[in-house]
Amino acid sequence: MEKALHEDICDETLFANIYNKYAKSLNDFLYYKYGDRLNPSDKAQDAFVKLWENCKNVSTEKAKSFLFTVANNLMLNETKHQKVVLKYKSESPKGYTNENPEFLLEKDEYYKKYQAALSKLSDDQRTAFMLNKVEGKKHQEIAELLGVTQKVVEYRIYSAFDQLKKELENFKIK
């Protein structure tokens, strides 16, 4: 007497046989229908994952149909997603901001003051400060780069910070 068919597909050896039987043809089907741009091999693998997740609900006779339908639907969903992405890429961003002209002018003036204050720092201070605050490097990394101790780097950064605070009002760094 045969077992119930819907239970067989959950057996690993049977699933492996189904995979070996349909994987290449599924991948080829997706490739020929949609091309290489949407990663047909990934969608074929996803279809097999869905088959494994639904192994109790799919009989061996319906496995091929299930795989091809799921893979095709995955590709169609990806195509729709790519259309949405393309639509939003093609839309140009608005050419204005909610910032008023006074704020923009103050921002430019502050930036010029900041650049002037940075130029007044010594080369060692400016280098250590920029490596830490702009590039996000740790004190130990900067010390290794510059060939000095970590304490020297800390002193350079904090002395640069103090000098910038004196030059600029409301100067804060995260």
Side-chain angles (χ1 to χ4, degrees):
M1 184 184 260
E2 282 187 28
K3 291 183 187 176
L5 293 176
H6 65 279
E7 294 175 359
D8 288 351
I9 205 165
C10 290
D11 180 46
E12 289 182 28
T13 56
L14 181 61
F15 186 83
N17 290 339
I18 290 172
Y19 179 83
N20 292 333
K21 186 175 181 181
Y22 297 123
K24 181 166 177 16
S25 60
L26 179 61
N27 188 38
D28 291 345
F29 167 75
L30 295 175
Y31 179 77
Y32 296 144
K33 188 168 181 180
Y34 296 100
D36 192 27
R37 189 175 56 85
L38 299 175
N39 300 323
S41 59
D42 288 350
K43 300 302 183 272
Q45 290 296 319
D46 291 343
F48 277 102
V49 169
K50 293 227 185 247
L51 177 62
W52 181 255
E53 290 171 352
N54 294 301
C55 67
K56 293 185 180 188
N57 302 328
V58 180
S59 67
T60 52
E61 288 84 22
K62 304 281 184 181
K64 181 178 180 182
S65 173
F66 179 87
L67 285 169
F68 280 73
T69 303
V70 166
N72 192 47
N73 288 342
L74 288 170
M75 290 300 274
L76 290 172
N77 289 343
E78 183 66 22
T79 303
K80 287 179 188 176
H81 174 70
Q82 291 303 323
K83 285 181 182 178
V84 170
V85 168
L86 185 62
K87 177 185 173 193
Y88 283 102
K89 276 186 180 177
S90 66
E91 288 182 5
S92 59
K94 59 184 180 181
Y96 60 89
T97 64
N98 292 335
E99 299 168 340
N100 62 17
E102 183 181 341
F103 173 79
L104 295 173
L105 184 61
E106 288 176 4
K107 182 175 142 185
D108 288 341
E109 288 176 6
Y110 190 82
Y111 182 71
K112 288 175 186 174
K113 287 180 187 177
Y114 176 69
Q115 291 297 330
L118 276 178
S119 67
K120 291 180 184 177
L121 297 175
S122 71
D123 288 339
D124 293 335
Q125 286 176 322
R126 186 175 38 259
T127 303
F129 182 79
M130 297 300 277
L131 284 171
N132 181 250
K133 299 301 179 188
V134 175
E135 294 187 20
K137 295 197 179 293
K138 305 284 183 212
H139 293 182
Q140 185 62 38
E141 292 176 286
I142 298 169
E144 291 171 6
L145 277 171
L146 300 178
V148 295
T149 65
Q150 185 173 339
K151 289 291 183 188
V152 170
V153 170
E154 290 171 3
Y155 174 76
R156 289 177 183 175
I157 291 170
Y158 294 123
S159 63
F161 187 70
D162 285 341
Q163 194 170 341
L164 288 172
K165 280 191 344 189
K166 289 175 188 169
E167 296 278 332
L168 303 167
E169 56 201 51
N170 299 325
F171 180 73
K172 295 176 184 165
I173 289 189
K174 295 180 181 178

